[in-house]
Amino acid sequence: MSYPPWPKGKKLVHLDLKGAPPRVEYLHRLIELFSELGVDGLLVEYEDVFPYDGELKLLQATAQPAYSRDEVLSMQEFARSKGMEVIPLVQTFGHMEFVLKHRSMWHLREVAHCVGTLNPHREEGVKVVMEMLRQVVELHPGLSTLHIGADEVYMLGEGEESKLWLASPGRTVEQLFLSHVTKVARAVKEAWPHMTIIMWDDMMRGMSLDTLKASGLVGLVQPMLWDYTPNLDVSKTVSLLEKYCSAGMADLWAASSFKGSTSVYTCVTSTQRHLDNHLQWLKVAASLSPAVNMKGIAITGWQRYDHLSVLCELIPVAIPSLAVCLQTLLHGQFSAEAQSKVTGKLGISSVEVETMEMRLAELIVELNALLNSEDIRFFENSMFVRGWFSPYQRQRKTVTPLITMQIHNQASLFLATLQQKVEAVREEMAKLYPDSTVQEWIEEHVSPVTAPLQRITEDVAACLKEMVHGKSVIWSVLSNSN
């Protein structure tokens, strides 16, 4: 089914750099590709790879180096040369894990066990936020638009100071949220009067029309409504956008997803899932009243669900998804023409990453298939291991050497096959990402599968040593059986 193409407004691609920050050379290649695909701008979430200095220097990543000031400037210059605007996203309330994880910042948490939410009552917290914003704005010459985050402010109202504040009659958690966001937005406007301010909308979704009108945010911010699901509720989303418009916030943004929203640990992107999400957004856009002024859409590509979660899919395996999503917005459907443009531009035969020719993406898909194969992932639950090499049998060294050697051979074969593929992935990934990202990816995706296989081979050797005379004999037996 066809819908009108996405209405006028910017098409931003979200670069989530809080995990797997691309090497600068690859970042420039991505910007070049984004430009060719029709992207108007970048929504850049730096977190700890921004070169904060002074008292905020502790925010810089330690696992991998932050980008240098020159690298941040060169990225912007290159993007501008391709006709793309750069909009920084700086979290100012929720998802401040990269700030509040540091011991010297612990006292600024809303509650001790929630690392992401800032205590809205402490002036020191606002000063930290404003200093972060100042440094980011200063390193983005000519900046006209800033995203202040403010999504998923978990546990708000649960801190002791918040409980005291809420004890006064008529005060609500909604007002507490609005008071902090309004304070930050007003401070931004005071410092940079020309600045357009975007914020995530989710904390405002349940607010009444009257609450929104009296929020102090009307005329101050432009809400960005996010929904990354393939079955997005069109009617509900339209109603939300219309509500914001009726409250006086007619300038609105949408946020879809091209990767990083399937599950927290997804390794390979499902293009169809993200295509469906964009088709739903096209339905939303076609259903809005003329009063709603859609400023654009941010196509998000989350690299982590939050600062402390594992890596989602890497960008190379999600490029087909991004291209499909963009062409769908441009054409109003994923037509044969749109598919031809995607496959032609990327030099691929299919839009599903499983058939991509790009080297790293291809290797990741192949390795992922191995890691998720039942024979390997559930090897410990196979008939032979459970029947002749159970934990009980291993502990008592009561095993059948003949079958145990077969188990050893199979586990060794799986390990060798995986290791060969892992080394190929490591080599290609290191060309695009820092070594810390390569190591993290392998430890998260590969080690949980290889560790049980490695333990089995070691346990077999230990058991057979007890049952066959002489260490040299057992190694000879195992070598010959291979």
Side-chain angles (χ1 to χ4, degrees):
M1 185 174 180
S2 177
Y3 305 96
W6 187 259
K8 66 176 183 177
K10 294 184 180 296
K11 292 178 290 298
L12 310 176
V13 166
H14 170 236
L15 284 176
D16 181 15
L17 303 177
K18 63 177 171 279
R23 295 187 185 276
V24 174
E25 299 80 7
Y26 182 47
L27 192 57
H28 283 223
R29 282 159 51 195
L30 286 172
I31 292 171
E32 175 89 38
L33 176 60
F34 295 165
S35 173
E36 294 172 0
L37 292 174
V39 175
D40 300 310
L42 302 175
L43 181 62
V44 184
E45 189 164 359
Y46 294 99
E47 282 214 358
D48 60 352
V49 295
F50 184 82
Y52 289 108
D53 58 18
E55 293 183 359
L56 298 184
K57 192 175 179 64
L58 83 164
L59 302 185
Q60 286 192 29
T62 54
Q64 74 270 330
Y67 292 116
S68 70
R69 294 176 65 86
D70 286 344
E71 288 170 339
V72 172
L73 290 169
S74 73
M75 180 268 290
Q76 295 171 68
E77 184 178 350
F78 189 69
R80 280 195 297 270
S81 75
K82 300 300 177 182
M84 288 194 282
E85 178 183 8
V86 175
I87 300 174
L89 192 164
V90 182
Q91 289 286 5
T92 58
F93 205 173
H95 281 306
M96 291 188 64
E97 293 92 352
F98 81 104
V99 177
L100 300 176
K101 71 178 183 180
H102 297 284
R103 183 175 290 273
S104 62
M105 300 287 187
W106 284 5
H107 65 290
L108 297 179
R109 298 177 187 175
E110 169 72 339
V111 291
H113 59 279
C114 182
V115 185
T117 298
L118 187 72
N119 182 332
H121 305 281
R122 301 201 174 176
E123 201 57 38
E124 184 184 349
V126 177
K127 288 180 180 178
V128 168
V129 163
M130 290 309 298
E131 178 59 17
M132 289 164 55
L133 293 173
R134 186 195 67 77
Q135 292 193 25
V136 169
V137 172
E138 183 236 304
L139 202 53
H140 289 75
L143 185 67
S144 61
T145 305
L146 179 67
H147 197 308
I148 61 170
D151 60 318
E152 299 181 329
V153 188
Y154 300 129
M155 305 299 293
L156 182 61
E158 297 298 317
E160 292 305 315
E161 289 168 270
S162 288
K163 288 178 180 177
L164 284 173
W165 189 90
L166 291 166
S168 296
R171 288 181 173 177
T172 65
V173 174
E174 290 179 350
Q175 291 173 340
L176 182 57
F177 171 80
L178 292 169
S179 66
H180 176 79
V181 174
T182 303
K183 182 187 294 185
V184 171
R186 285 175 176 163
V188 169
K189 280 292 189 181
E190 185 177 334
W192 305 284
H194 67 283
M195 195 72 72
T196 296
I197 304 172
I198 302 172
M199 65 175 283
W200 297 118
D201 84 298
D202 54 284
M203 294 296 292
M204 301 187 291
R205 291 179 189 176
M207 295 181 187
S208 69
L209 189 60
D210 288 341
T211 299
L212 291 170
K213 286 180 177 178
S215 65
L217 292 178
V218 175
L220 199 56
V221 301
Q222 297 177 357
M224 180 178 277
L225 196 158
W226 58 270
D227 193 317
Y228 314 137
T229 57
N231 57 346
L232 177 156
D233 188 323
V234 174
S235 177
K236 183 178 178 181
T237 304
V238 169
S239 295
L240 269 173
L241 291 166
E242 295 287 357
K243 181 174 73 170
Y244 296 145
C245 180
S246 297
M249 294 182 282
D251 291 336
L252 296 162
W253 294 76
S256 57
S257 170
F258 76 94
K259 81 175 193 76
S261 59
T262 302
S263 77
V264 69
Y265 51 80
T266 298
C267 185
V268 175
T269 306
S270 166
T271 299
Q272 185 64 52
R273 175 186 176 88
H274 298 287
L275 166 60
D276 290 343
N277 174 240
H278 285 78
L279 290 173
Q280 295 299 93
W281 271 112
L282 285 170
K283 293 179 188 177
V284 170
S287 305
L288 293 170
S289 69
V292 177
N293 180 26
M294 293 303 294
K295 302 292 290 184
I297 184 169
I299 308 172
T300 64
W302 299 100
Q303 195 54 73
R304 301 186 193 275
Y305 275 29
D306 64 44
H307 181 77
L308 299 174
S309 66
V310 299
L311 293 171
C312 302
E313 316 100 291
L314 298 179
I315 291 177
V317 297
I319 291 297
S321 173
L322 174 60
V324 165
C325 294
L326 282 162
Q327 286 299 314
T328 299
L329 292 177
L330 291 170
H331 289 81
Q333 62 176 324
F334 192 55
S335 60
E337 180 186 0
Q339 180 166 348
S340 176
K341 287 190 176 182
V342 170
T343 55
K345 178 62 66 178
L346 300 182
I348 57 177
S349 59
S350 169
V351 297
E352 283 295 348
V353 72
E354 282 81 356
T355 56
M356 278 188 62
E357 299 298 323
M358 294 171 62
R359 183 62 177 153
L360 178 58
E362 181 183 80
L363 287 169
I364 287 176
V365 170
E366 291 173 356
L367 178 56
N368 185 64
L370 279 173
L371 293 170
N372 286 291
S373 66
E374 290 193 4
D375 287 347
I376 291 179
R377 183 166 286 275
F378 302 112
F379 185 70
E380 283 191 300
N381 288 322
S382 68
M383 180 184 75
F384 288 104
V385 175
R386 291 190 66 179
W388 284 272
F389 204 57
S390 70
Y392 178 91
Q393 292 164 317
R394 293 183 217 183
Q395 185 179 7
R396 289 160 178 76
K397 306 287 193 298
T398 56
V399 300
T400 303
L402 178 62
I403 295 180
T404 306
M405 286 188 288
Q406 292 174 348
I407 291 170
H408 181 279
N409 293 346
Q410 189 61 65
S412 298
L413 178 61
F414 285 152
L415 281 169
T417 303
L418 286 169
Q419 191 58 39
Q420 182 180 26
K421 193 66 68 176
V422 167
E423 289 310 311
V425 167
R426 185 193 299 274
E427 182 180 350
E428 289 299 317
M429 198 179 291
K431 297 175 184 176
L432 309 182
Y433 292 100
D435 293 342
S436 58
T437 294
V438 179
Q439 190 61 31
E440 179 183 359
W441 193 94
I442 290 172
E443 288 188 21
E444 289 289 356
H445 291 285
V446 180
S447 297
V449 178
T450 57
L453 294 172
Q454 188 64 45
R455 280 196 302 270
I456 284 176
T457 61
E458 292 168 357
D459 288 350
V460 166
C463 287
L464 291 183
K465 181 181 177 183
E466 295 288 327
M467 301 190 70
V468 180
H469 296 296
K471 184 176 180 181
S472 59
V473 174
I474 179 58
W475 284 116
S476 175
V477 169
L478 290 176
S479 299
N480 289 336
S481 65
N482 283 331

